[in-house]
Amino acid sequence: MRRSRRWWLHAASSVFADVLDEVCALLDPYVEVPLRDVMFAEAGTPTAALLDRIAFGYPAVFALQIAQYRLLESQGVRPDVLFGYSAGHMAAAHTAGVLSLPDACRAVGTPARLAGALPKTGFMAAVEASPGELNPGPGAVIAAVNGPRSVVVSGDRAAVRRICAEWAARGRRTHPLRLDVAPHSPHFDALLDDYRRALESLDLRASRLPAAPRRRDGLRRARAR
């Protein structure tokens, strides 16, 4: 049986193991299968494949980041500033002291549960192009900018595939992402009201550490439309 690095670290560090197990337990009410079982499933099994669904992948990334942070913290590592994107944004908010762990798990688990109920008509792909030269056209948006010539497009499955075909024909690299929905696109507008209500119930605290805000915030863009 192939063991991932998470298996090794979980066995080697009680700090990492205890935190990961705690976070997974707090996220379990939001997922259909225990999150820890999914994260540690044998590669190639149907359970392991659930990580390709945002309903599991998003909270799994958060759980892993919190456990990694607490492990580094136990070794005396202290960051000067915290920043993150998507699940990492909530991980930064928790480790900076803005959100308690239960509240941070609610902020992560709620959109994961809501996204899991969306129609499976979305798609995402990484494209070797600058944001200035790529015009997604109808049905898709630029969801993320990872570098001067590296963007992620998200939206309708047919629209994203069209973009990939167009840029591959130009000799540019494209890489479809293994997702069944289209995060950071108008596909997620239907979740905003429910997610906003969940966020309004959170107890926000003063940050203990500087936290850099995201420059491209899908929720903020959706509100502005």
Side-chain angles (χ1 to χ4, degrees):
M1 180 184 298
R2 290 171 53 193
R3 300 288 189 179
S4 70
R5 292 181 181 179
R6 292 186 298 274
W7 272 109
W8 175 86
L9 196 52
H10 193 274
S13 169
S14 60
V15 172
F16 180 91
D18 289 347
V19 173
L20 187 70
D21 291 351
E22 179 185 9
V23 178
C24 285
L26 288 169
L27 288 166
D28 277 347
Y30 302 95
V31 293
E32 299 171 352
V33 179
L35 185 60
R36 187 182 180 280
D37 292 353
V38 175
M39 293 178 69
F40 289 96
E42 183 178 359
T45 63
T47 302
L50 292 174
L51 281 176
D52 291 338
R53 293 170 49 187
I54 193 169
F56 292 93
Y58 184 69
V61 168
F62 173 80
L64 183 60
Q65 289 176 336
I66 297 300
Q68 289 172 329
Y69 180 91
R70 295 305 178 198
L71 175 59
L72 291 172
E73 184 181 56
S74 73
Q75 301 299 311
V77 177
R78 295 292 184 273
D80 293 323
V81 65
L82 294 165
F83 61 93
Y85 181 73
S86 196
H89 191 220
M90 293 304 176
H94 166 61
T95 53
V98 175
L99 294 173
S100 68
L101 184 57
D103 273 358
C105 288
R106 187 179 308 127
V108 169
T110 299
R113 175 178 55 80
L114 294 170
L118 287 174
K120 305 302 185 284
T121 58
F123 206 52
M124 293 186 84
V127 180
E128 184 186 7
S130 72
E133 64 183 346
L134 191 153
N135 180 6
V141 297
I142 294 178
V145 178
N146 294 330
R149 290 215 330 177
S150 177
V151 300
V152 176
V153 292
S154 180
D156 299 343
R157 187 177 300 272
V160 174
R161 285 178 170 167
R162 168 183 54 78
I163 293 168
C164 288
E166 290 175 357
W167 286 88
R170 301 186 191 189
R172 302 289 186 90
R173 293 173 295 176
T174 65
H175 179 70
L177 305 184
R178 294 185 297 182
L179 290 172
D180 54 358
V181 291
H184 311 294
S185 82
H187 281 224
F188 272 45
D189 284 0
L191 312 183
L192 293 182
D193 288 341
D194 287 339
Y195 189 36
R196 186 178 295 110
R197 283 191 288 270
L199 293 178
E200 288 171 349
S201 71
L202 305 182
D203 178 22
L204 303 182
R205 307 167 180 177
S207 177
R208 297 191 303 266
L209 290 167
R214 292 182 293 180
R215 294 182 61 188
R216 298 181 61 86
D217 189 313
L219 180 59
R220 194 160 55 232
R221 291 202 310 274
R223 285 177 174 169
R225 278 197 295 270

